[in-house]
């Protein structure tokens, strides 16, 4: 299990926009399992006048995108490099996430080639699927290495 | 036929319709809305926003999730201005074909156009696009639920 210090080695994001607590399993370049605890003591539960505070849909996407990058960010060739989020598809929220919940996220790399990444992430609360997304990102510094050079 | 109303709402007036507040109110103005049909407006981007210093320190870029939130909130305005939906809460349930075409950085103005495709009971399907200087910056197909 990796600590938040390890997560900060991979992700350049910081509070209040680093939304992972712990890496539980990691297979470089392939897949990862992480979790995030949710507490009333977080800003994201206090940004709406709606009394039933739940994690916003777009922050669920943000969490999934932070997680699915980890197997690639942990590769030696990607350390220190900044990925650019390109697209997401089939982003779904199946249930609500509330203070006191623990979100377990599993992400799988589907394709990693020449700086282009596609993958899938799913989030569970108490074993129930609550969110999922397919995503694509690019690492421009790596992709540019494969561009044809002018002769 | 729905009558086009030229409604200009500032951020205070927007807050009468949607429950979002700082730091998650992601639209500044609504410049045009036909309730139940479409809404247009914009969000100014400033380095003085909470996410830019951490996304990323030396290269501030508007996060994709925030761009999507801007589009969701504009589509929500097209829904909650309908007479039957005033004061109702709307939540996003699904997004497809979400694409980011260019970076959105401090100093930009993100112009959003959101239109309703279909309303089936409590479920609303819509599409939204964001533009910077007339250039497409982001787009998505969205499914929202009226609670």
């Amino acid at each position: 299990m990796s600590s938040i210090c390890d997560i900060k080695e991979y992700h350049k994001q910081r509070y209040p926009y680093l939304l992972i607590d712990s890496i539980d399993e990691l297979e470089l370049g392939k897949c990862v399992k992480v979790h995030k605890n949710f507490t009333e003591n977080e800003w994201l539960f206090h940004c709406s006048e709606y009394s039933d505070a739940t994690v916003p849909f777009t922050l669920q996407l943000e969490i999934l995108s932070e997680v699915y990058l980890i197997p690639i960010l942990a590769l030696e060739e990607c350390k220190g490099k900044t990925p650019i989020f390109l697209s997401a598809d089939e982003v779904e929220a199946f249930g609500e996430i509330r203070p006191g919940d623990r979100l377990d996220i599993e992400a799988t790399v589907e394709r990693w080639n020449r700086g282009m990444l596609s993958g899938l992430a799913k989030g569970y609360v108490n074993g129930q699927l609550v969110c999922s997304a397919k995503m694509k990102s690019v690492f421009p510094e790596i992709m540019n290495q494969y561009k044809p050079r002018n002769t | 036929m729905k009558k086009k109303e030229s409604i200009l709402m500032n951020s205070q007036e927007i807050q009468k319709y949607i429950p979002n507040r700082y730091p998650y109110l992601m639209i500044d103005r609504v410049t045009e809305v036909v309730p139940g049909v479409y809404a247009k407006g914009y969000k100014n981007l400033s380095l003085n926003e909470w996410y830019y210093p951490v996304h990323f320190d030396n290269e501030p870029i508007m996060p994709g999730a925030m761009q999507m939130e801007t589009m969701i909130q504009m589509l929500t305005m097209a829904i909650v201005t309908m007479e039957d939906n005033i004061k109702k809460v709307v939540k996003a349930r699904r997004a497809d074909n979400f694409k980011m075409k260019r970076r959105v950085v401090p100093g930009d103005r993100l112009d959003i156009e959101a239109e309703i495709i279909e309303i089936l009971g409590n479920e609303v399907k819509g599409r939204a696009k964001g533009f910077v200087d007339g250039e497409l910056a982001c787009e998505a197909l969205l499914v929202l639920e009226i609670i």
Side-chain angles (χ1 to χ4, degrees):
Chain A
M1 194 148 59
S2 300
S3 69
I4 189 64
C5 297
D6 299 314
I7 297 168
K8 286 182 177 178
E9 271 188 45
Y10 306 139
H11 274 295
K12 293 182 179 179
Q13 288 158 237
R14 295 293 179 263
Y15 173 82
Y17 212 60
L18 182 57
L19 299 170
I20 305 168
D21 287 330
S22 178
I23 300 174
D24 302 318
E25 287 177 35
L26 172 61
E27 197 172 341
L28 294 180
K30 292 191 177 175
C31 57
V32 67
K33 291 184 181 179
V34 312
H35 74 266
K36 189 210 173 328
N37 286 335
F38 285 96
T39 168
E40 182 69 30
N41 197 30
E42 290 185 76
W43 64 266
L44 53 95
F45 288 121
H46 300 277
C47 53
S48 170
E49 302 248 312
Y50 185 47
S51 59
D52 184 18
T54 59
V55 178
F57 176 83
T58 46
L59 284 183
Q60 294 183 37
L61 173 62
E62 174 62 30
I63 295 168
L64 296 176
S65 69
E66 288 180 14
V67 175
Y68 107 112
L69 285 167
I70 291 174
I72 301 302
L73 285 171
L75 295 173
E76 197 58 42
E77 62 174 318
C78 294
K79 283 190 177 166
K81 295 190 171 58
T82 305
I84 302 297
F85 193 60
L86 285 180
S87 65
D89 204 15
E90 298 177 37
V91 184
E92 282 200 81
F94 302 97
E96 307 292 359
I97 306 171
R98 293 185 168 84
D101 284 339
R102 169 176 148 154
L103 182 66
D104 293 293
I105 306 126
E106 300 173 6
T108 309
V109 172
E110 292 180 331
R111 184 177 162 87
W112 168 239
N113 186 35
R114 299 188 176 193
M116 295 288 295
L117 166 66
S118 62
L120 165 69
K122 296 184 178 183
Y124 301 85
V125 173
N126 294 327
Q128 298 284 325
L129 181 66
V130 293
C131 54
S132 68
K134 292 184 177 179
M135 294 160 282
K136 290 184 181 176
S137 300
V138 63
F139 286 73
E141 291 170 83
I142 295 176
M143 189 177 71
N144 289 340
Q145 294 171 14
Y146 294 95
K147 281 188 177 174
R149 293 176 189 170
N150 292 329
T151 55
Chain B
M1 189 170 98
K2 290 188 190 290
K3 181 183 170 186
K4 177 179 169 179
E5 301 173 59
S6 296
I7 299 175
L8 173 65
M9 294 187 207
N10 61 20
S11 61
Q12 294 302 311
E13 286 156 346
I14 289 168
Q15 289 176 66
K16 293 176 185 173
Y17 287 93
I18 59 177
N20 301 81
R21 299 294 180 266
Y22 174 82
Y24 225 67
L25 179 58
M26 301 302 286
I27 53 177
D28 290 323
R29 296 275 167 88
V30 175
T31 54
E32 232 178 285
V33 62
V34 176
V37 183
Y38 72 83
K40 295 182 182 181
Y42 63 86
K43 181 197 175 353
N44 279 337
L45 286 310
S46 168
L47 189 57
N48 198 31
E49 295 186 74
W50 59 269
Y51 49 79
Y52 270 132
V54 295
H55 193 280
F56 301 98
D57 182 31
N58 58 346
E59 193 180 5
I61 304 171
M62 187 182 191
M66 298 299 108
Q67 293 185 36
M68 181 184 282
E69 184 64 29
T70 302
M71 293 191 284
I72 288 171
Q73 290 184 15
M74 192 58 68
L75 183 62
T76 299
M77 291 303 293
I79 299 169
V80 296
T81 46
M82 297 169 68
E83 209 171 309
D84 291 343
N85 293 331
I86 290 177
K87 293 293 185 185
K88 291 233 175 120
V89 173
V90 176
K91 290 197 173 188
R93 292 301 183 206
R94 187 182 168 105
D96 289 286
N97 288 341
F98 171 52
K99 294 187 177 111
M100 292 185 297
K101 299 288 196 180
R102 60 160 282 171
R103 297 182 186 199
V104 182
V105 299
D108 283 345
R109 173 176 130 165
L110 185 61
D111 294 303
I112 307 289
E113 298 175 5
E115 61 172 333
I116 292 173
I117 297 170
E118 184 179 43
I119 300 178
L120 285 172
N122 289 343
E123 187 178 276
V124 180
K125 291 182 184 173
R127 67 169 66 89
K129 294 185 179 182
F131 300 86
V132 175
D133 294 329
E135 187 183 336
L136 183 65
C138 55
E139 60 182 340
L141 292 172
L142 302 164
V143 177
L144 310 187
E145 182 187 359
I146 304 168
I147 306 294

